[in-house]
Amino acid sequence: MASTTEDLSHLPLEIRSIITTESSDGIPFPASPIPHTHRTWARTFSSHPQVYLQPSTLPQITKITHLARRCRRRLVVVGSGHSPSNLTCTSSWMINLDKYSRVLSIDPTTGLCVLQSGIRLWQLSEALNKEGLALPSMGSINEQSIAGAISTGTHGSSLQHGLISEGVESLKIVLANGEEVSCSPTERQDLFRAALLSLGAIGIVTEVTFRAVKAFSLAWEQAIDSDSKLFAEWETKLWKQSEFVRVWWFPYMRRAVVWKADKVDENDLDTGVVRNYDPPTSFQDSKFGYFVYHNLLALARWFPRITPWVEWFVFGLQYGFGNGEATTTRAVQPSYKAFLLNCLYSQFVNEWAIPLHKGPEALQRLAAWLHRLQPGDEGYVEHKIPFSAEGLWVHSPVEVRVSDTTVKTSAERGNRPWLDITPEDGAALYLNATMYRPYHRDPSYNATERYYEAFEWLMRDLGGKPHWAKTFAVTPEEFASKQWYGENFHQFRKVRDEVDPLGMFVGPWQRKFLLGEPAEEKDRLALEEIGFEQEPAKDGGFVVSGQQNVVVPA
């Protein structure tokens, strides 16, 4: 529905005048008449965009970019807001593509599907399943839009798969000049590699051509055991025993859950030899367990020393107090259900990718630091972390996943993102350190900051890079260094600067982590949003606000 100037009465007169001038083309300006508050899923950050837009057609999207340029506004595209950082926050114009989410075509024979970019993964999974197809791999959630999953480097956990974006055949993007362009490994390859992990800094992804696979069910099982068994099988069996494997490591108990899954033979499903069935409801998935754990986490904010006991109690009820085969849980589920994980509560997440073979060293050093082990103590290794863990108690588990982006992507094929965090010559291990925020309240005593400072130091020491959509503290200079991205980072910057020279898709997050601060204020981009001030929100987290640009009608 077209907005009237009364709908936008909260906007400055200059902007309303420009929008009114452009209304004669018959293309609606799909702005919400109600002030919108954007919140991340975890409520870590929130913001109040000046305009909240939900376009449903391509002409509306191109009109938005045209008006944003005339009104000198930054554009931010959001989906589910699952990143716990302020990446998606803005005081300028916000676009949500939930109404631009149709499946344009599906070829059941080839698996090739053409999608509007706002479709959520759960919607896509339903549409594919009706055609006997599925996504080859998934992360732990399905609330993301396909464009959001691609743009942030979402991954699953398998040595036979890499990023979700490896299934992308081509993209269409609306650039800052309002033009929709196509890109692929054979057409505008540099732009394609930038858009495959764009962090909202390139343009508006409008269409995705993706290759799905034949629908499949996964027979999975999980069991808990000592982490010493995990380390003993690391190089031989652990990650190769099934197509999909993921691990949850508990630092205080020194135990780990191993989840493994393989595809079920289609004939076995068709003949009824194997049937789909769900696992028993777990402690955490029950209403009682969810409530108990949530309140124990809240109690631990005031009495942090109980945290190891909470880990033992809750995850003992969840997985079993013993070890080995007796703790095994099994199920057979369609892939779109089997991959999913209950994220439980509001949380900070800090995830890095390191070379796979360094995993045991990483976990053993982290455990030695957290337990403050001394020479002669059981499990002692020299952690070398130059920060004290005295009085620090952290949440669990640490999620441990793998991928190998070299299987299906590479620079030579033209489909490896410039900003892919994984090694170019082998498998990656992802370590995800989670700190819960019970009832949207941060852990006390600066626990998160202290934990993440040490965690990031260790990850750097092991040659790691941070997941772009998570929490981290890294400078553009570090990203650009030869040890990190080197020429790939400069190539991404070059593409970004070419397609968005005025900074329509640049805000404080992109400036802080991708571009770096300019030498002088006059060197800022004409349309970029400047600075983020933040203040505590009443319901937890922070409200952030950026500085609006001066309206200068074109």
Side-chain angles (χ1 to χ4, degrees):
M1 183 176 69
S3 294
T4 66
T5 53
E6 289 77 15
D7 292 335
L8 304 175
S9 58
H10 61 288
L11 296 179
L13 177 62
E14 296 92 335
I15 289 182
R16 278 186 285 151
S17 298
I18 293 172
I19 294 173
T20 301
T21 301
E22 297 286 339
S23 63
S24 60
D25 60 6
I27 301 173
F29 182 66
S32 170
I34 303 171
H36 179 77
T37 298
H38 167 69
R39 294 182 177 89
T40 60
W41 172 83
R43 292 180 178 259
T44 44
F45 293 98
S46 61
S47 63
H48 303 288
Q50 187 182 65
V51 178
Y52 182 71
L53 299 137
Q54 287 191 303
S56 58
T57 67
L58 180 60
Q60 290 179 5
I61 294 174
T62 56
K63 178 170 184 172
I64 289 169
T65 58
H66 171 67
L67 287 173
R69 189 168 61 255
R70 287 202 62 194
C71 297
R72 303 182 69 81
R73 299 290 96 176
R74 176 202 177 198
L75 292 178
V76 177
V77 183
V78 300
S80 62
H82 253 272
S83 171
S85 74
N86 58 23
L87 171 63
T88 57
C89 290
T90 185
S91 295
S92 192
W93 290 11
M94 178 173 285
I95 302 174
N96 173 271
L97 296 177
D98 282 352
K99 296 181 180 179
Y100 197 75
S101 57
R102 292 191 299 120
V103 175
L104 301 179
S105 67
I106 296 180
D107 186 333
T109 303
T110 65
L112 209 62
C113 48
V114 182
L115 318 163
Q116 290 183 333
S117 59
I119 191 169
R120 300 296 181 98
L121 294 184
W122 66 267
Q123 294 172 315
L124 176 56
S125 293
E126 288 182 356
L128 290 175
N129 187 57
K130 290 177 182 178
E131 301 293 338
L133 298 172
L135 294 168
S137 178
M138 283 181 63
S140 300
I141 60 172
N142 62 1
E143 290 297 324
Q144 299 158 291
S145 67
I146 186 65
I150 292 168
S151 298
T152 54
T154 298
H155 61 89
S157 188
S158 171
L159 289 182
Q160 299 179 34
H161 301 273
L163 305 181
I164 300 299
S165 63
E166 70 184 13
V168 176
E169 300 280 332
S170 64
L171 296 170
K172 289 185 179 180
I173 308 168
V174 171
L175 302 178
N177 63 6
E179 178 187 3
E180 186 185 50
V181 300
S182 299
C183 58
S184 70
T186 58
E187 180 184 10
R188 302 188 70 155
Q189 183 187 116
D190 284 355
L191 176 62
F192 183 66
R193 294 182 65 185
L196 284 176
L197 209 165
S198 68
L199 303 169
I202 300 297
I204 304 171
V205 175
T206 51
E207 187 176 293
V208 179
T209 300
F210 191 93
R211 191 172 297 279
V213 298
K214 200 167 187 178
F216 59 95
S217 286
L218 287 173
W220 64 262
E221 64 178 60
Q222 66 183 26
I224 192 167
D225 214 319
S226 67
D227 64 4
S228 60
K229 181 179 179 182
L230 182 83
F231 301 143
E233 296 179 347
W234 194 277
E235 296 288 349
T236 56
K237 174 185 175 183
L238 178 63
W239 302 108
K240 302 172 185 176
Q241 60 187 317
S242 295
E243 181 173 352
F244 302 96
V245 181
R246 53 188 176 186
V247 170
W248 295 279
W249 178 68
F250 302 93
Y252 294 118
M253 295 191 295
R254 298 302 302 266
R255 301 166 76 202
V257 171
V258 176
W259 180 97
K260 58 182 181 179
D262 285 298
K263 293 174 182 174
V264 178
D265 185 274
E266 184 181 6
N267 290 330
D268 288 345
L269 282 174
D270 291 342
T271 59
V273 173
V274 178
R275 298 180 184 275
N276 287 317
Y277 66 94
D278 293 331
T281 300
S282 69
F283 174 71
Q284 289 179 345
D285 286 334
S286 70
K287 291 182 179 180
F288 176 72
Y290 181 94
F291 175 81
V292 167
Y293 187 28
H294 205 179
N295 283 278
L296 286 174
L297 288 169
L299 183 65
R301 289 186 71 246
W302 300 102
F303 306 100
R305 287 182 177 274
I306 72 169
T307 303
W309 176 85
V310 172
E311 177 185 287
W312 170 82
F313 177 70
V314 169
F315 292 104
L317 291 174
Q318 174 75 3
Y319 299 110
F321 290 97
N323 285 334
E325 180 67 25
T327 67
T328 301
T329 299
R330 295 181 175 87
V332 178
Q333 295 177 297
S335 60
Y336 58 84
K337 291 180 65 176
F339 286 128
L340 299 184
L341 177 71
N342 186 348
C343 292
L344 296 174
Y345 322 111
S346 172
Q347 57 195 253
F348 291 114
V349 284
N350 194 327
E351 181 177 22
W352 288 56
I354 63 175
L356 176 60
H357 69 274
K358 294 186 177 182
E361 178 186 352
L363 296 177
Q364 288 168 337
R365 289 172 64 181
L366 186 59
W369 179 74
L370 287 171
H371 286 271
R372 300 177 285 282
L373 298 181
Q374 299 300 315
D377 292 341
E378 183 180 358
Y380 170 80
V381 296
E382 187 179 4
H383 60 72
K384 301 180 182 178
I385 298 174
F387 307 106
S388 172
E390 193 65 38
L392 176 66
W393 308 98
V394 304
H395 296 155
S396 55
V398 172
E399 187 177 39
V400 186
R401 294 182 289 172
V402 294
S403 76
D404 192 341
T405 58
T406 68
V407 175
K408 298 175 184 176
T409 67
S410 66
E412 292 72 26
R413 296 169 180 153
N415 63 347
R416 179 180 171 88
W418 293 118
L419 298 183
D420 191 334
I421 72 173
T422 64
E424 295 187 42
D425 58 356
L429 180 78
Y430 300 91
L431 295 179
N432 187 352
T434 299
M435 289 293 282
Y436 287 113
R437 304 176 63 248
Y439 297 101
H440 303 113
R441 294 294 183 264
D442 294 349
S444 55
Y445 306 110
N446 299 317
T448 303
E449 292 82 354
R450 293 180 60 197
Y451 182 27
Y452 285 175
E453 182 179 41
F455 180 74
E456 291 191 2
W457 186 94
L458 178 60
M459 295 298 99
R460 283 181 172 91
D461 194 52
L462 295 169
K465 299 188 190 79
H467 191 303
W468 287 104
K470 308 297 175 65
T471 301
F472 58 84
V474 180
T475 65
E477 292 74 24
E478 194 170 10
F479 282 129
S481 68
K482 187 176 181 180
Q483 293 76 17
W484 286 47
Y485 290 97
E487 185 58 27
N488 285 344
F489 192 79
H490 295 296
Q491 285 294 329
F492 176 86
R493 285 278 306 271
K494 178 183 177 184
V495 174
R496 205 227 69 78
D497 293 345
E498 287 174 352
V499 298
D500 183 24
L502 299 181
M504 180 181 290
F505 299 101
V506 172
W509 191 96
Q510 286 79 12
R511 177 62 74 179
K512 180 178 181 180
F513 295 113
L514 298 178
L515 307 185
E517 292 299 323
E520 299 182 42
E521 286 299 307
K522 65 180 180 63
D523 296 327
R524 290 192 180 277
L525 302 175
L527 303 184
E528 76 168 282
E529 185 175 6
I530 303 170
F532 264 160
E533 296 181 357
Q534 62 182 42
E535 57 183 33
K538 292 180 180 179
D539 57 352
F542 292 94
V543 178
V544 298
S545 58
Q547 180 180 333
Q548 298 288 340
N549 294 317
V550 177
V551 177
V552 180

